[in-house]
Amino acid sequence: MSKEISKFLSLVLRHDPGKAGISLDSNGWTSIATLVAGVQKAGFPEFDRATLDAVVENNEKKRFTISEDGNMIRAAQGHSAEVDLALQPSTPPDILYHGTAFAKLASIREHGLVPGKRQQVHLSNDYETAVKVGSRHGRPIVLVVDAPRMAAEGIVFFQADNGVWLTDAVPADYLSTDQA
């Protein structure tokens, strides 16, 4: 059940809080007590704080962040719901990667990376993660992002609580691959 709960939490904390009868504040936070009650009413009557803590702790992608006081929770990144994570600009590493499906390569070469339904483009600092992400969408291809040049030219990067790098878009001329 924890995988099902994790997916539901991702849905309500990133995209559709109304599915659990909750709301997110401007920074994406909601009360854990309210979330637990909402998830129970949404069809998971056995969901409780201990289950939530286990899902947060064991989530491989570290998708959720609990506030320092332990009373609030939010998704670390990946929102389509309008929130401001209030992340500070960060200097990116020398290389960032983006995994996608090979079938999307022509469009990416024309338009660059755009956030689609999400608020920002997601990038990783390791190749293996990018391969996994790309594999979810078909035959994977990993794009290499020239992050230092982007930053030097004024494009801002942020790092989410779970280590994912975020930016508003990646123009095509900052992308390369040795796979195409």
Side-chain angles (χ1 to χ4, degrees):
M1 178 182 82
S2 66
K3 186 173 184 176
E4 187 179 6
I5 288 285
S6 181
K7 285 185 173 192
F8 187 71
L9 291 176
S10 288
L11 172 68
V12 300
L13 294 174
R14 295 166 92 182
H15 310 296
D16 191 356
K19 291 273 189 199
I22 65 167
S23 60
L24 306 177
D25 73 12
S26 62
N27 299 124
W29 295 102
T30 193
S31 157
I32 288 176
T34 302
L35 176 68
V36 169
V39 171
Q40 289 172 346
K41 287 179 186 173
F44 300 93
E46 66 285 350
F47 184 73
D48 59 14
R49 175 63 191 253
T51 304
L52 174 68
D53 288 341
V55 169
V56 170
E57 179 65 30
N58 297 315
N59 186 272
E60 182 180 291
K61 296 178 183 179
K62 302 297 179 198
R63 287 194 168 147
F64 312 108
T65 302
I66 293 181
S67 63
E68 288 184 24
D69 67 6
N71 295 321
M72 306 288 281
I73 187 169
R74 73 178 181 185
Q77 43 67 231
H79 298 82
S80 62
E82 189 68 33
V83 299
D84 177 2
L85 295 175
L87 300 172
Q88 296 302 309
S90 297
T91 302
D94 288 343
I95 297 176
L96 287 171
Y97 302 97
H98 181 82
T100 191
F102 190 83
K104 296 180 180 180
L105 188 56
S107 176
I108 291 169
R109 284 188 170 147
E110 182 177 347
H111 304 289
L113 295 173
V114 295
K117 294 178 183 177
R118 295 184 177 176
Q119 289 186 322
Q120 294 178 305
V121 172
H122 297 182
L123 306 169
S124 78
N125 59 0
D126 71 278
Y127 186 87
E128 293 76 22
T129 298
V131 170
K132 286 181 189 176
V133 170
S135 296
R136 294 189 321 226
H137 306 287
R139 188 173 124 213
I141 186 164
V142 175
L143 303 172
V144 179
V145 178
D146 188 350
R149 185 165 64 96
M150 286 178 65
E153 295 178 11
I155 297 174
V156 180
F157 289 84
F158 305 91
Q159 190 171 27
D161 296 339
N162 61 356
V164 172
W165 284 90
L166 307 170
T167 193
D168 291 340
V170 180
D173 59 330
Y174 295 103
L175 298 168
S176 64
T177 180
D178 56 3
Q179 299 173 329

